[in-house]
Amino acid sequence: MPSPTGTVTPSLSTFLGSLRSNSIETSIEHLVSLLRRRQIKGSRSCAIATAHLLCGVLRNLQVTDVTKLIERVQQVGQKLAAAQPKELAVGNIIRRILGLIRDESEEDRDGEASGYGDMEIGSRNATSSTRTAVQSDPTQKRPFLAPNISINAPTITSLFNNLPSKGTSPLSAPGSQTPRAESPVPAPLPSTANTTQDFRAEVVEGVQEIIEELNQADDQIAGYAVDHIHGSEFILTYTPTMTVQRFILKAAAKRKFTVVHTEPFSKHHPPRNLAGTPNISPYDDEGNSERFLKALTIAGVTVIMVPFSAVFALMSRISKIILDAHIVLADGSLVAPSGAKAITQAASMHRTPVIVLSGVYKLSPVYPSDVGMLVDFGDPSSIVGSDQGSFPEKIDVMNPLFDHVPADLVDLYITNL
């Protein structure tokens, strides 16, 4: 009897693996479906998926017009943004790639025009400088014409043209025109197909640099840990993400401090597969408390777990708070996992510094005009189960996954740039 094979849960890893075998249109619809079903969620996961998909779109797009290239990227971006409008990181990556295309297009256009422009300017300067030398003082007599000087006047043939000047090459034979400031003939431009192909290759290379930036963002943020975490401090963490984990581990290599970790019982427990082990993706920026605490303990960091209800009582002993942002808005506020607002309000009353870690891909130009449109809600059964009698039938249970934290509750943002 064959052993049963475990089912593979759709995630970012499976999507990246399918990009090589599927067509572009199939990959677009696949990512739209994953975003709608929340099988790819979190700012980092959505940003990586969007960047990889648009990189494939640019590689396989056979167009010779930059405008059509931009329209194609906008078309794909609108589908992705409409699939999950609350994941603002998708729009951030789309805007960055569109800006990259426009910048590369302007550089190519300026480079083509500069060749002709420099030639024309050089010719004009040579002519105008000679005119200025002759016509600067009309009262003086015209200077004697040397054989190696030419002015913008009718050509004059004289015996001086037959005499080579000292240190110069012989001039043209008698009867020929006097040498002028000749403008060199411009080289022919490359064909449109080659230019477009080179332009598209430059854009694809820029998108690959964005992908590398996404992969290196956590390590770059962790490089500032030693400057903000000092010895014998009590650091409160709430979001057990990879960004916070690497930030703490970087500081633990040179500092001795204590981490106080807290989290509410809600969505932070990942689903388990048939073998009973949690389905943890290396790109999951929601994090996992077990993996987070295990990594800190192995590094020798003293970790204290406290319930969420005890945060306010312990806030007077906390040196600083480190949070990870889901998205940072244009007014300086942020969207963070639910419960972050209560922690920052308690920190504000005790004058405890709040440090927020955020990659550049999380910086959004959107203003929080409607906070309700930014907050997503999860399954209420993770809070109130159906086995608790008739209680759920009498009330509406809401499980917000995110909080909107005002800008005045944050003391410092640390990014990867």
Side-chain angles (χ1 to χ4, degrees):
M1 181 177 178
S3 59
T5 58
T7 58
V8 179
T9 305
S11 62
L12 177 61
S13 301
T14 59
F15 170 73
L16 296 180
S18 65
L19 283 175
R20 301 178 181 178
S21 58
N22 296 338
S23 63
I24 292 299
E25 295 298 331
T26 304
S27 299
I28 293 174
E29 297 300 328
H30 186 198
L31 181 56
V32 168
S33 176
L34 293 176
L35 291 175
R36 286 177 178 173
R37 297 177 182 178
R38 301 293 295 169
Q39 292 173 328
I40 291 182
K41 55 184 178 179
S43 298
R44 184 168 180 264
S45 299
C46 293
I48 291 176
T50 303
H52 277 278
L53 178 63
L54 292 180
C55 185
V57 170
L58 294 172
R59 278 198 185 118
N60 293 272
L61 192 61
Q62 302 296 331
V63 296
T64 58
D65 189 6
V66 177
T67 304
K68 294 182 180 180
L69 186 66
I70 294 177
E71 290 177 354
R72 176 57 174 168
V73 174
Q74 289 176 340
Q75 179 185 3
V76 177
Q78 289 175 357
K79 289 184 178 181
L80 300 180
Q84 191 52 250
K86 295 183 180 179
E87 290 290 355
L88 301 182
V90 175
N92 294 344
I93 297 299
I94 295 170
R95 279 186 286 268
R96 285 192 62 179
I97 294 178
L98 288 174
L100 175 65
I101 295 174
R102 295 188 179 98
D103 292 342
E104 293 292 342
S105 176
E106 291 178 0
E107 289 180 3
D108 291 348
R109 191 181 303 117
D110 293 342
E112 293 176 1
S114 62
Y116 291 105
D118 294 341
M119 298 171 189
E120 294 178 359
I121 292 173
S123 177
R124 292 176 182 175
N125 290 341
T127 303
S128 60
S129 60
T130 310
R131 284 183 176 180
T132 304
V134 176
Q135 301 177 0
S136 59
D137 191 357
T139 58
Q140 296 181 358
K141 295 182 180 180
R142 174 174 292 184
F144 180 77
L145 294 179
N148 58 347
I149 298 180
S150 63
I151 58 175
N152 192 16
T155 305
I156 301 176
T157 303
S158 64
L159 294 177
F160 293 104
N161 295 332
N162 299 328
L163 300 177
S165 59
K166 185 177 180 180
T168 61
S169 60
L171 299 177
S172 58
S176 62
Q177 294 183 349
T178 305
R180 297 189 183 184
E182 298 181 356
S183 59
V185 178
L189 293 176
S191 62
T192 307
N194 294 336
T195 305
T196 305
Q197 185 177 2
D198 296 341
F199 166 74
R200 189 166 58 247
E202 293 176 357
V203 174
V204 171
E205 183 180 356
V207 177
Q208 291 176 347
E209 292 178 357
I210 294 177
I211 296 175
E212 293 178 1
E213 176 188 330
L214 294 176
N215 295 328
Q216 299 174 1
D218 292 345
D219 294 332
Q220 293 173 350
I221 292 175
Y224 300 98
V226 181
D227 299 333
H228 299 281
I229 296 180
H230 307 285
S232 303
E233 289 186 338
F234 285 82
I235 309 298
L236 177 65
T237 59
Y238 178 67
T239 49
T241 61
M242 187 61 64
T243 304
V244 178
Q245 175 181 321
R246 292 181 179 178
F247 191 83
I248 296 295
L249 292 178
K250 188 70 174 180
K254 297 183 178 181
R255 304 280 192 271
K256 293 294 183 180
F257 52 90
T258 302
V259 173
V260 180
H261 183 71
T262 181
E263 66 174 2
F265 178 81
S266 60
K267 63 181 181 64
H268 297 292
H269 301 275
R272 298 179 178 269
N273 54 24
L274 298 178
T277 58
N279 294 326
I280 300 175
S281 170
Y283 301 100
D284 186 11
D285 50 356
E286 290 186 354
N288 174 260
S289 294
E290 297 177 3
R291 180 182 58 185
F292 177 78
L293 299 177
K294 182 179 179 180
L296 297 186
T297 304
I298 293 176
V301 180
T302 303
V303 182
I304 302 176
M305 285 287 296
V306 298
F308 186 77
S309 57
V311 170
F312 189 86
L314 294 174
M315 191 58 67
S316 59
R317 297 291 306 274
I318 301 300
S319 303
K320 55 178 62 74
I321 299 172
I322 297 178
L323 300 176
D324 188 11
H326 175 70
I327 204 73
V328 180
L329 303 175
D331 63 340
S333 62
L334 71 144
V335 177
S338 58
K341 185 175 182 180
I343 293 178
T344 54
Q345 287 176 337
S348 178
M349 295 190 64
H350 288 83
R351 300 295 189 269
T352 303
V354 176
I355 299 176
V356 176
L357 310 180
S358 173
V360 176
Y361 62 93
K362 296 182 180 181
L363 304 181
S364 174
V366 176
Y367 281 87
S369 56
D370 187 2
V371 178
M373 296 299 296
L374 303 174
V375 178
D376 201 2
F377 293 89
D379 185 9
S381 63
S382 61
I383 299 177
V384 180
S386 59
D387 56 345
Q388 300 184 9
S390 59
F391 175 73
E393 299 178 359
K394 297 181 181 179
I395 62 173
D396 293 332
V397 180
M398 302 180 66
N399 180 21
L401 302 180
F402 300 102
D403 278 345
H404 175 256
V405 181
D408 56 350
L409 299 179
V410 180
D411 295 281
L412 179 66
Y413 282 103
I414 299 179
T415 65
N416 57 314
L417 295 181

